[in-house]
Amino acid sequence: MLLDGKIALVTGGSRGIGRAIALRLAGEGAKVAVNYAGNQTAAEEVKAIIEQHGGAAMIVQTDVSDSTEMVARVHEELGGLDILVNNAGITRDTLLLRMKDEDFDAVINTNLKGIYACTKAAAKFMTKQRSGRIVNLSSVVGEIGNVGQTNYAAAKAGVIGFSKAAAKEFASRNVTVNVVAPGFIDTDMTAVLKDSIREKLIEEVPLGALGKPEHVADAVLF
Ligand code: NAP
C-alpha cells in the first residue's frame, strides 16, 4: 500500500471531502487522525469505518482556527506525523454590501487562519524529521471569484499564496506544500445552495454534474 506506516491528520475529516480523504488515506495504509469541529457522531463513524477495514484512526475535536494543541496531541498519540491535509472549511455566503463583519471573520479564521495554525504546528515536526506532505484545500472560487462569496474567495485565494510561500520555505527540508482547488463538489456545503443556483453551477460544468468527494480524495492522495 502507498502509505503503509505513515501518519496523517485530516482537518474537517468528519464529513464531505475530508471524510473521503480520511478514508482514502486509511485505505492506503495510513493511520489517520480525523479532526472535526462539532459533529462527533460523524467523526466516530469515519473512525469506525477505518477500523472495520483493519486500519487505525483517532478522532480529535478542535476548532482549526484555534488549534495550537491539536497537532502535538496527534503526534504524541499516533507516534508521529507525515501528512497534514488542511481541509476544514466553512461558507457564510452573502452579497458584500450585506456581509456582517463576523461572517467575514469566521470564514477567514477557519479557512485561512486554520491552515496557518495547523501548518505552522505540523511544520515544526516535519522540518525536524526532514520529511512531510502538506496538502491544502483551496477552491476554484479562489481563482475565479463568485457572487456572494467575497469572504470565501479571499480566504481561498489566500490559501494559494500561503501555500506557495510555505512550499518555498520548507522545500529544502523535504517538506512539500501543495494545493488542491476543486470545482463544485456534492457535499453538505453545496447541498444548502438554492436549487436555481445549483442548477446554474451544474450548467457550467462540462460533464454536467457536480464532482464527488472521492474525486478530490484521489487528487489529495496523489
Ligand atoms: P462540508 O461537507 O461542509 O464539511 C466541512 C468539514 O469541515 C466538516 O468535517 C466540519 O466538521 C469541518 N469544520 C468546519 N469548521 C471547522 C473548524 N473550525 N474546525 C475544524 N473542523 C471544521 O464541506 P466540504 O464540502 O467537504 O468542504 C471541505 C473543504 O473543501 C473546504 O475547505 C471547502 O472550502 C473545500 N471545497 C469544497 C467545495 C465544494 O463544492 N464542496 C469545492 C471546493 C473546495 P463538523 O462535521 O464537526 O462540522
Side-chain angles (χ1 to χ4, degrees):
M1 291 196 285
L2 281 172
L3 302 178
D4 236 351
K6 300 290 182 196
I7 297 165
L9 165 60
V10 181
T11 70
S14 47
R15 289 186 288 122
I17 294 171
R19 179 184 197 271
I21 293 168
L23 296 177
R24 191 77 180 91
L25 300 186
E28 288 294 340
K31 280 189 208 169
V32 180
V34 178
N35 158 255
Y36 65 101
N39 204 329
Q40 187 173 344
T41 312
E44 272 168 357
E45 193 184 299
V46 177
K47 178 176 183 272
I49 295 171
I50 292 172
E51 288 171 349
Q52 277 158 22
H53 287 82
M58 67 178 278
I59 62 169
V60 50
Q61 190 283 326
T62 298
D63 177 344
V64 286
S65 62
D66 182 20
S67 60
T68 43
E69 313 272 284
M70 174 171 65
V71 170
R73 200 179 131 201
V74 169
H75 189 275
E76 192 177 327
E77 283 192 31
L78 293 184
L81 186 67
D82 303 292
I83 300 160
L84 168 67
V85 183
N86 281 309
N87 161 83
I90 58 167
T91 50
R92 292 279 186 279
D93 296 355
T94 190
L95 295 172
L96 178 58
L97 293 181
R98 291 184 195 151
M99 191 171 288
K100 296 193 177 101
D101 289 355
E102 48 267 40
D103 292 333
F104 190 82
D105 291 346
V107 170
I108 296 292
N109 282 338
T110 300
N111 298 10
L112 185 55
K113 194 178 169 212
I115 290 187
Y116 153 80
C118 295
T119 300
K120 192 172 165 186
K124 283 185 186 149
F125 294 111
M126 290 176 173
T127 51
K128 211 167 168 191
Q129 73 200 12
R130 294 190 185 269
S131 73
R133 296 286 177 263
I134 299 171
V135 181
N136 297 331
L137 269 287
S138 178
S139 162
V140 284
V141 170
E143 295 186 295
I144 63 175
N146 196 21
V147 172
Q149 291 198 309
T150 48
N151 48 2
Y152 187 81
K156 292 301 184 181
V159 169
I160 295 173
F162 172 87
S163 303
K164 286 181 175 174
K168 289 187 174 178
E169 287 191 20
F170 303 145
S172 65
R173 300 287 189 278
N174 189 34
V175 176
T176 63
V177 185
N178 284 282
V179 168
V180 173
F184 292 94
I185 307 297
D186 198 2
T187 67
D188 293 345
M189 188 178 269
T190 44
V192 297
L193 296 171
K194 278 190 214 147
D195 282 351
S196 56
I197 293 179
R198 224 175 128 82
E199 277 158 26
K200 209 165 155 244
L201 287 175
I202 292 172
E203 267 172 34
E204 285 169 20
V205 181
L207 283 173
L210 295 183
K212 298 273 171 226
E214 291 73 21
H215 300 154
V216 184
D218 283 344
V220 172
L221 175 66
F222 170 78

